[in-house]
Amino acid sequence: MESFKDQTVIVTGGNTGIGKEICLQFATEKANVVVNYLFEEELAFDLVAQIEKLGGKAIAVKGDVSVLDQAKNIVETSIKSFGKIDILVNNSGITRDNLMMRMSEEEFDSVINVNLKGTWNMCKSVTRHMLKNRRGTIVNIASVVGIIGNAGQVNYVASKAGIIGLTKSLAKEFGTRGVTCNAVAPGFIQTKMTDSLTDEVKEQYLAQIPLNKFGTAQNVADSVLFLASDKASYITGQVISVNGGMI
């Protein structure tokens, strides 16, 4: 399949985990992929090489999405390299988990700044370009906890719930210009972090999931590609939950 041939996609936090899988899936369909990263530069350039081996085109762009000027630079560099931006995937995110009583102001602010303000910064930076072209797709990565809440994560939950609200509002603002905006809310996804959990903790999480298995990065990427495709052209302002039935 080459559904995204010659389309340009920016994936923030694209060099590891779910972001990496999203980049690879777009690459297999011959999209031009912009791999945004802030840390682990070597992984970003390794991913660019993998994409080129698949026959795609890619660049790695360093930038902190929580800083508006750097977000603008990611967008401007992408346009200079590929001439346009068709798809923006806001995947960058961090956690600083703690109980409310113990959570520091820095732990709260840093998560809001990267997850929520970073998403706003990137959407803000592509707005003029996409609205002028009267086409474009934004897919924001939210979380199941942004819908149901989670103890010990008030900062992360607030940021992800904010992303859901931002998504619904932008869908209403951008719809008349042919730009869609949706979110994907992953549940418990198998990553390096979950691999390090004890069997007992894994069983506790699995007990909450009717399908009795953790999701994969590809499960999330598949939903992102669907929302970015022409098959989802009449879908906007929606949250697709990828959680195995947790909620």
Side-chain angles (χ1 to χ4, degrees), residues 234-245:
Y234 198 58
I235 299 174
T236 194
Q238 304 305 307
V239 182
I240 304 294
S241 292
V242 183
N243 61 45

Side-chain angles (χ1 to χ4, degrees), residues 196-213:
S196 65
L197 296 175
T198 66
D199 289 341
E200 184 181 0
V201 172
K202 286 180 183 178
E203 287 301 320
Q204 289 173 357
Y205 279 115
L206 281 171
Q208 303 174 47
I209 304 170
L211 287 183
N212 198 38
K213 61 181 180 180

Side-chain angles (χ1 to χ4, degrees), residues 42 53 83 112 139 153 167 182 231:
E42 185 179 336
K53 280 184 181 178
I112 295 294
V139 182
Q153 284 194 309
T167 298
N182 293 289
K231 292 179 181 179

